[in-house]
Amino acid sequence: MNDSPGWATPGSAPSDGEDSGTPGQPEPSDRARASSQWSRNQPPAGQWSPPAATPGQGTPPPPPGPPAPQQGGWSRPPAPGGNWNHGWGPAPAAKPGVIPLRPLGVGEILDGAVSTMRAHWRTVLGLTLTVAVITQIADILVQRYLLPDPPEIDPDATGTEAINQAFDSLRSSMLSLLPVGVLALIGTLFVTAVLTVVISRSVLGRPVTLREAWAEARPRLLPLLGLLVLLPLMAGAVVGIGVLPGALIGSDAGAALAGLGGLAAVVVVIWLLVRFSLAAPALMLERQGLVKSLRRSAKLVRGAWWRIFGITLLTVLLTFIVSMIIAIPFTVIGTLVDDGGAGSLFSGSTSDFGWPFLIITGIGAVIGSAITYPISAGVTALLYVDQRIRREALDLDLARAANLPGYETPGS
């Protein structure tokens, strides 16, 4: 099995030949090995040789017309009065869709995600609004009727009592977050699956409807669900291993050890999540299985961990800021409208917000999710495309898939 399969757009056969009946074609594993493919697909370099001249005569001037291209794609300067910016430097990259087909910068990745929202706004908003409304209604019902009251914390407790209270609070928080996490997981499943298909079409400049995207994404929902469940379980297991030794000791030294172990575990979790951050698009677009998609992500991230971590962190911060900008006005309005919650808040007692507060803040959460979901999913999918362009010359396959002139398959 080749672990560097070619680009597989939604609906195409597996890129590595699996279940296709034909052996897979080997693909270069990095950009350098793809240089031979690049050279074969280019027009022949301009050959310049001076015309024969008779003795005693100078070299005749070149015939009129545009300057002939020189080797390497560079051209001679234009005639006096011409455009000096035209023809200098390498030719601009082809851009059939929302991104240019070349290695991308941070701004181009973010712009590609936003451009996909604009180009396919009916599909994107139709999906995200539907998912956000359903999950938010379920979240409101869970908060109102299912969540238990948080345990009381004694500020004067020390040693073993403090550790026990901390674990009781953590267990209560996990139980409270479990229904919300399940709802978020289901919403993320549908949004990630469909929006990855939409991104893959928008890169090629092709239109796509919500029905078409759903038909392409539906066969991959079960493996994607396994991936989305596996990653949180893996993170939870790592954190549990980190804090377990300190919890077993059960003293002040144990509390310190649990804190250090938890901090180290968080660092390991962040490293693992970034390492496997491209598994979802690999699973969707390459028709990979669960384990192979994790391996593909690890291979694509290798050597670029800090870059992907920085772009992912920037995206998280941007989406958090957007969510807060949208949520704060709705929270203030909901607090003022809900008399019981506002009165208890201003009196300093525990706030017990009612239906008005939950409904108004829920509307703000739906609007925020409809905007931030596509940005997060788009950045992840475009990071995957960017890494494959950098390592495997995917831009050539994308240009051929987009039917761009000059990128035809050799021999066709």
Side-chain angles (χ1 to χ4, degrees):
M1 179 63 65
N2 184 2
D3 63 348
S4 299
W7 171 261
T9 54
S12 63
S15 56
D16 55 2
E18 185 176 2
D19 299 329
S20 61
T22 58
Q25 298 296 325
E27 289 289 334
S29 61
D30 51 33
R31 184 78 183 184
R33 292 178 58 187
S35 59
S36 58
Q37 289 185 348
W38 172 260
S39 60
R40 287 198 300 269
N41 287 305
Q42 295 306 300
Q47 303 296 329
W48 174 260
S49 58
T54 358
Q57 292 183 348
T59 303
Q70 302 300 307
Q71 188 168 1
W74 296 81
S75 58
R76 292 163 30 183
N83 183 3
W84 282 89
N85 292 326
H86 177 72
W88 284 91
K95 188 178 180 182
V98 295
I99 59 169
L101 300 185
R102 56 170 172 74
L104 304 175
V106 179
E108 290 171 327
I109 292 176
L110 294 173
D111 180 69
V114 176
S115 298
T116 300
M117 292 178 58
R118 293 200 304 262
H120 305 282
W121 64 271
R122 290 185 179 88
T123 301
V124 172
L125 288 183
L127 170 70
T128 54
L129 281 176
T130 302
V131 171
V133 168
I134 294 175
T135 55
Q136 193 60 40
I137 290 176
D139 188 19
I140 290 174
L141 295 176
V142 167
Q143 291 185 53
R144 189 64 179 174
Y145 295 112
L146 297 181
L147 293 186
D149 295 331
E152 297 182 359
I153 302 295
D154 183 7
D156 299 327
T158 58
T160 305
E161 294 181 358
I163 295 178
N164 292 334
Q165 290 183 6
F167 274 97
D168 290 340
S169 178
L170 179 62
R171 184 172 58 252
S172 175
S173 299
M174 295 298 294
L175 291 176
S176 300
L177 292 176
L178 182 60
V180 179
V182 171
L183 294 174
L185 179 65
I186 295 174
T188 304
L189 172 69
F190 288 102
V191 171
T192 301
V194 177
L195 289 186
T196 301
V197 175
V198 174
I199 289 287
S200 68
R201 297 290 185 90
S202 64
V203 168
L204 301 176
R206 295 177 180 174
V208 59
T209 63
L210 182 57
R211 177 176 297 181
E212 293 171 344
W214 170 247
E216 299 288 356
R218 185 173 53 191
R220 308 300 299 163
L221 286 180
L222 189 58
L224 184 61
L225 176 61
L227 177 65
L228 295 179
V229 171
L230 177 62
L231 293 179
L233 289 178
M234 178 181 61
V238 172
V239 173
I241 293 173
V243 301
L244 183 60
L248 294 177
I249 294 176
S251 62
D252 293 340
L257 181 60
L260 292 177
L263 182 60
V266 169
V267 174
V268 174
V269 166
I270 293 174
W271 181 80
L272 288 174
L273 292 180
V274 174
R275 182 178 175 85
F276 298 135
S277 61
L278 305 184
L283 185 147
M284 292 296 301
L285 298 179
E286 297 182 22
R287 307 298 193 267
Q288 296 280 11
L290 177 58
V291 176
K292 290 181 180 178
S293 65
L294 293 173
R295 292 176 180 171
R296 276 292 284 162
S297 177
K299 181 178 181 179
L300 292 173
V301 172
R302 187 182 303 126
W305 190 94
W306 283 107
R307 179 175 182 272
I308 294 176
F309 169 74
I311 296 175
T312 304
L313 180 61
L314 176 61
T315 304
V316 171
L317 291 176
L318 289 177
T319 53
F320 175 76
I321 292 173
V322 171
S323 300
M324 289 297 100
I325 291 175
I326 297 173
I328 288 175
F330 285 92
T331 302
V332 173
I333 295 173
T335 303
L336 296 177
V337 170
D338 196 319
D339 295 333
S344 59
L345 179 65
F346 291 129
S347 64
S349 60
T350 303
S351 298
D352 185 17
F353 294 109
W355 284 107
F357 177 83
L358 295 176
I359 293 175
I360 293 175
T361 54
I363 294 174
V366 167
I367 297 174
S369 299
I371 296 175
T372 57
Y373 267 155
I375 295 177
S376 300
V379 168
T380 301
L382 292 178
L383 271 174
Y384 161 82
V385 174
D386 175 59
Q387 284 303 111
R388 290 201 60 190
I389 288 176
R390 293 172 182 270
R391 293 180 177 269
E392 302 169 359
L394 181 65
D395 49 333
L396 302 181
D397 292 330
L398 293 176
R400 283 192 288 267
N403 298 321
L404 295 181
Y407 291 90
E408 294 81 6
T409 305
S412 61

